[in-house]
Amino acid sequence: MSTTAGASTASVLATTSQPPSAEPAAGQTAAAAASMAAASMAAAKPAGRVRGWQFRFAVLSLIWGFSFLFIKVGTQGFAPLQVTLGRVAFGALVLLTMLALKRERLPRSARTWAHLAVAALFLNVLPFSLFAYSELTIPSTLAGICNATSPLWGMALSVVALSEDRPTRRRVAGLGIGFLGVLTVLGAWQGFAGTDLTGTAMALGASLCYPIGWIYVRRTLGGGGHSHLSMAGAQLLLAAAQLAIVTPLFTTAPAHLPLIPLLAVFALGALGTGFAFLLQYGLVDEVGPTTAQMVTYFVPLIATAAGVVLLHERLSWNTPVGALIVLAGAALTQSKPRARHTSGPRPGSTAD
């Protein structure tokens, strides 16, 4: 899921119904066996064990929905790359703290670290940075809606990259409907008037990074035997290292640390990238990946409400209408064909 929390490799392999969900994120690796185990365990749990998951689902939706507001506020005091660096650093701190408390270890294989470095680039560094840069010129509401296009990109890419993920008529229709929604959000019939195309392209590019990362993870990091917490912590650590190298080359250190933007970056990282990851995995474990990933469809709605109410961003009629069309298309691209029931032998017939 693209989650604004940032995708982690673990999230991809645990939520196997995704294009390898926005956000992220997120926020994306546990072993492939862990993904199947998560779904089967959730199905086997008695009803009493899943009571209260709706509250955690709502909290996760709010955290990821507000992430775009946090990005906008953060860029008012820091350069976009600095916002992204702070985001992954605070997120990594949360996950590594949990790793220490649980006495788990980071992966040891050099091969695993190499693949996680690529995953960190496509699932954290690039999309987080592009979203931060995009919000210099576009409202947080539009960025949140662009984030919801990740399933559309994922479906398109999976047709080419994943031989086991063939399109159906319904999913192809969802792809077309989703991109029609994007054109509606952007006001294509009026020549994209009032829309910064560069910023919008960056936000859409950020959403495209997630499925690229998801596909890479599915091809390279399945069956590793590591816990999702270990893999995600290592991934964010690598993302922080990459940004620590790049950020000083393109930015200058801030003369002071403005409080409100600093708090926004802290919330973006600690809550939206660290704590949200733990919430997501709790949901996957309790109610299964299909229900847990439904949070993706609430994120743009919350992002829009937060931007309008708290940041006083202007909202034209085509923005919410287009957002709903995008979500409808995304839902169709994630749908699976119904299993066909084979009828038994007809009365009076004989078996061969």
Side-chain angles (χ1 to χ4, degrees):
M1 63 193 59
S2 106
T3 74
T4 53
S8 75
T9 52
S11 304
V12 173
L13 293 178
T15 54
T16 54
S17 55
Q18 288 212 2
S21 196
E23 185 46 267
Q28 288 201 56
T29 270
S35 65
M36 298 301 296
S40 61
M41 287 173 60
K45 292 187 181 202
R49 294 289 300 276
V50 298
R51 291 175 183 173
W53 68 266
Q54 295 94 337
F55 175 75
R56 289 185 291 279
F57 184 96
V59 171
L60 182 60
S61 301
L62 285 171
I63 290 175
W64 280 349
F66 271 80
S67 291
F68 296 97
L69 180 146
F70 293 148
I71 293 172
K72 174 67 78 173
V73 175
T75 55
Q76 293 174 358
F78 302 101
L81 283 176
Q82 293 169 346
V83 171
T84 306
L85 174 58
R87 175 180 188 172
V88 297
F90 286 127
L93 183 61
V94 171
L95 295 186
L96 293 177
T97 300
M98 288 299 301
L99 200 67
L101 291 175
K102 291 189 173 186
R103 297 183 180 181
E104 295 186 24
R105 294 180 178 179
L106 293 170
R108 294 184 177 182
S109 168
R111 174 186 173 279
T112 299
W113 280 91
H115 288 312
L116 283 174
V118 178
L121 177 66
F122 283 104
L123 294 175
N124 302 116
V125 175
L126 285 177
F128 290 179
S129 299
L130 286 171
F131 272 125
Y133 273 107
S134 74
E135 291 200 41
L136 294 177
T137 56
I138 66 173
S140 65
T141 54
L142 180 55
I145 293 170
C146 288
N147 179 72
T149 64
S150 280
L152 306 179
W153 295 118
M155 204 286 284
L157 290 175
S158 67
V159 172
V160 177
L162 298 174
S163 59
E164 74 275 13
D165 198 7
R166 290 304 180 192
T168 62
R169 291 181 179 178
R170 178 181 296 182
R171 298 181 72 189
V172 171
L175 184 64
I177 292 172
F179 283 111
L180 177 63
V182 172
L183 294 176
T184 302
V185 170
L186 300 180
W189 62 90
Q190 53 189 5
F192 305 103
T195 301
D196 183 81
L197 295 182
T198 301
T200 303
M202 287 183 179
L204 291 173
S207 301
L208 174 60
C209 288
Y210 291 127
I212 293 175
W214 293 333
I215 291 171
Y216 179 83
V217 165
R218 287 182 62 178
R219 286 179 172 269
T220 61
L221 284 167
H226 300 286
S227 74
H228 61 266
L229 184 58
S230 171
M231 298 295 273
Q235 180 184 311
L236 282 182
L237 195 61
L238 287 167
Q242 293 173 19
L243 285 161
I245 295 172
V246 173
T247 301
L249 300 178
F250 296 96
T251 65
T252 57
H256 64 287
L257 300 177
L259 179 60
I260 300 302
L262 181 61
L263 290 175
V265 173
F266 175 78
L268 182 64
L271 294 179
T273 309
F275 179 65
F277 174 85
L278 302 176
L279 276 179
Q280 180 192 22
Y281 262 86
L283 286 171
V284 170
D285 186 50
E286 285 191 75
V287 297
T290 301
T291 300
Q293 77 171 7
M294 291 299 293
V295 70
T296 304
Y297 302 113
F298 291 88
V299 170
L301 304 179
I302 295 172
T304 299
V308 171
V309 174
L310 298 178
L311 297 180
H312 308 291
E313 294 178 344
R314 180 175 170 271
L315 187 68
S316 301
W317 69 267
N318 56 298
T319 301
V321 171
L324 292 176
I325 297 174
V326 168
L327 292 177
L332 283 176
T333 64
Q334 297 300 290
S335 64
K336 294 184 178 181
R338 296 179 180 178
R340 294 182 179 179
H341 299 284
T342 56
S343 58
R346 293 179 182 178
S349 65
T350 58
D352 292 334

